[in-house]
Amino acid sequence: MDLTLVTEGRTTISVPCQNSLVPFPPGTAPVFYNSRMALNRDTTVLVIRQLSPHSYLDAMAASGIRGCRVGNETDVPVTLNDRDLMATRLITQNVRSLGIQAEITCRDANSLMSEEKFGFVDLDPFGTPAPFIDAAIRSSGKYLGVTATDTAPLCGAHLKAGIRRYMARPLNTEYHTEVGLRILLGNVARHAAVYDKGIIPLFCYAHEHFVRLHLQLKSSASAADKSIAQLGYIHQCPVCPYRMEEQKFFPGVYTCPLCGTSLTPTGPLWTGPIHDQDTLSGMIQDAETFIAGDKSGLTKLLNTCWDEPDISFSYNYHKLAKYYRLSPGPVDILLNRLRDEGYIAGRVHYSGYGIKTDAPLEVIRDFL
Ligand SMILES: C[S@@+](CC[C@H](N)C(=O)[O-])C[C@H]1O[C@@H](n2cnc3c(N)ncnc32)[C@H](O)[C@@H]1O
Ligand SMILES: [Zn+2]
């Protein structure tokens, strides 16, 4: 295997050379490495530096970049696992050259997680994490990280696959990214509840082609009940921009108050907060000094998440303006006007055109 050195954060490892001439270079190497996921790994390092779990499992480690970064950039003892022998050989080489303490295993992630417990369990599979969530919840003593790159099923572009994977109905709308994030969270909450565990989202976000969750699991029947109570639906009008959020186990049946059409429910999905304020503020401070290199994308993501209102859907303000046949002014002026009138209003982290507000559509239209 021809190798090349890459540096992410404060960690340098060897990864296989890739053919940069094809549309997806990571697919051309015998062991997977995707430089576009560096921001995903930056956030994991920052979360772990806030939590200090007693141990960390990178359950699908590939080159080992994620587990190596945790081992090298935090004080947490790490285990790196991959079922692929070539991957674990590369991991061994990377761990040795970094001089970090790490367990390395070559096993099926589900069988490893069914046998051993870790403070923080991290899932980073190809595509959907759905087949690994149950074992990860059983294996995790306290924290869970989940990456999903199957955005088409999660966000409603592949409706039937989304229903099969997540036992929820996605919806391909202008805020489908958020629907995907919340469907995945809702799915984890339902799996956790089976084991009398509740979830507390610490830092969950969607970016480019992936959704990333960092959660705390709380062991008690009442914590599980509290999580289940946060499940619900978004009801979207298929004709006009009207939508509403409902926090309920079974969805109600509603018609649009603006145009009389039957609303389409999407869910069950998580309607609660997607960030923990203390964790996120600690990450923002730590990112200033700790993360090396260009961190403009990371800082922007963290700060937008900090400012984002706690609402489960957003509007694309360009689409709204088009629907009302208006030419929209600057988004910040619209948001300031809404806030001046006492409404909650802010930007969203996954789209430059997205806004969240509790103002009714008539009010948004007037301010547009
Ligand atoms: C997307 S890559 C992981 C990327 C890596 N975490 C990173 O940050 O670069 C997925 C890896 O999961 C491994 N894998 C797939 N199914 C697995 C399973 N059932 N058990 C263990 N490893 C598995 C593959 O061999 C592959 O190396
Ligand atoms: Zn309507």
Side-chain angles (χ1 to χ4, degrees):
M1 196 174 4
D2 288 337
L3 298 173
T4 180
L5 288 176
V6 292
T7 300
E8 264 187 34
R10 299 179 175 217
T11 305
T12 299
I13 67 160
S14 296
V15 301
C17 296
Q18 301 175 352
N19 178 356
S20 58
L21 301 175
V22 301
F24 187 59
T28 62
V31 178
F32 188 86
Y33 170 77
N34 187 356
S35 58
R36 282 180 61 199
M37 293 298 253
L39 178 138
N40 179 317
R41 292 182 282 264
D42 284 343
T43 60
T44 300
V45 168
L46 288 175
V47 168
I48 289 177
R49 284 169 56 82
Q50 293 303 308
L51 307 175
S52 304
H54 63 74
S55 59
Y56 171 87
L57 170 68
D58 183 354
M60 293 107 177
S63 67
I65 180 66
R66 189 178 291 268
C68 284
R69 286 196 60 186
V70 173
N72 194 40
E73 299 177 34
T74 80
D75 297 330
V76 179
V78 295
T79 299
L80 293 93
N81 175 70
D82 201 290
R83 71 173 174 193
D84 180 71
L85 189 61
M86 236 193 301
T88 47
R89 285 196 183 130
L90 180 58
I91 294 166
T92 307
Q93 181 180 331
N94 282 325
V95 162
R96 276 202 195 124
S97 66
L98 281 167
I100 55 173
Q101 285 294 322
E103 288 269 330
I104 299 160
T105 54
C106 184
R107 297 188 57 184
D108 174 74
N110 275 332
S111 82
L112 172 65
M113 293 187 294
S114 295
E115 287 173 21
E116 288 187 38
K117 283 204 173 274
F118 301 89
F120 192 117
V121 172
D122 206 331
L123 300 179
D124 188 19
F126 291 129
T128 179
F132 303 102
I133 286 173
D134 187 85
I137 287 165
R138 283 184 280 117
S139 175
S140 164
K142 194 156 182 191
Y143 302 109
L144 188 61
V146 183
T147 302
T149 53
D150 58 331
T151 45
L154 266 174
C155 301
H158 298 160
L159 179 68
K160 285 185 176 172
I163 292 171
R164 288 198 304 274
R165 298 283 173 276
Y166 301 103
M167 285 293 150
R169 185 188 201 283
L171 194 65
N172 200 356
T173 61
E174 71 212 46
Y175 52 95
H176 58 74
T177 308
E178 176 130 21
V179 166
L181 172 63
R182 289 178 179 277
I183 280 187
L184 182 61
L185 266 170
N187 184 268
V188 175
R190 284 179 289 149
H191 272 283
V194 171
Y195 302 103
D196 284 348
K197 291 182 181 184
I199 67 163
I200 301 171
L202 300 174
F203 181 60
C204 304
Y205 66 100
H207 187 74
E208 293 183 347
H209 65 293
F210 69 84
V211 169
R212 176 74 183 158
L213 313 181
H214 303 92
L215 310 168
Q216 185 180 338
L217 294 168
K218 233 180 149 186
S219 284
S220 78
S222 64
D225 291 341
K226 215 168 139 192
S227 286
I228 294 295
Q230 305 265 39
L231 295 178
Y233 299 84
I234 297 169
H235 296 269
Q236 172 67 49
C237 179
V239 173
C240 82
Y242 182 80
R243 64 210 60 175
M244 60 173 255
E245 182 184 314
E246 183 186 37
Q247 209 172 68
K248 220 166 156 212
F249 193 65
F250 294 111
V253 177
Y254 301 96
T255 49
C256 177
L258 304 183
C259 76
T261 312
S262 297
L263 299 184
T264 310
T266 177
L269 46 74
W270 178 259
T271 64
I274 55 175
H275 310 307
D276 169 66
Q277 301 269 343
D278 289 345
T279 308
L280 183 49
S281 72
M283 290 169 70
I284 291 171
Q285 282 175 30
D286 196 25
E288 292 283 317
T289 50
F290 187 74
I291 296 291
D294 174 20
K295 55 187 167 204
S296 52
L298 176 68
T299 311
K300 187 174 169 210
L301 172 72
L302 296 175
N303 287 319
T304 319
C305 287
W306 177 259
D307 290 333
E308 188 171 310
D310 216 352
I311 296 172
S312 300
F313 58 76
S314 62
Y315 299 95
N316 176 315
Y317 87 113
H318 274 305
K319 280 200 173 168
L320 269 189
K322 200 169 166 202
Y323 179 80
Y324 291 124
R325 294 167 197 244
L326 298 163
S327 75
V331 67
D332 283 329
I333 293 182
L334 169 69
L335 294 173
N336 282 335
R337 281 182 175 173
L338 289 166
R339 283 190 215 110
D340 287 347
E341 288 299 311
Y343 294 107
I344 298 168
R347 288 177 177 269
V348 305
H349 70 273
Y350 50 85
S351 160
Y353 302 122
I355 59 164
K356 285 189 174 182
T357 178
D358 61 348
L361 272 171
E362 309 84 82
V363 173
I364 309 175
R365 182 198 55 206
D366 289 350
F367 287 147
L368 269 170

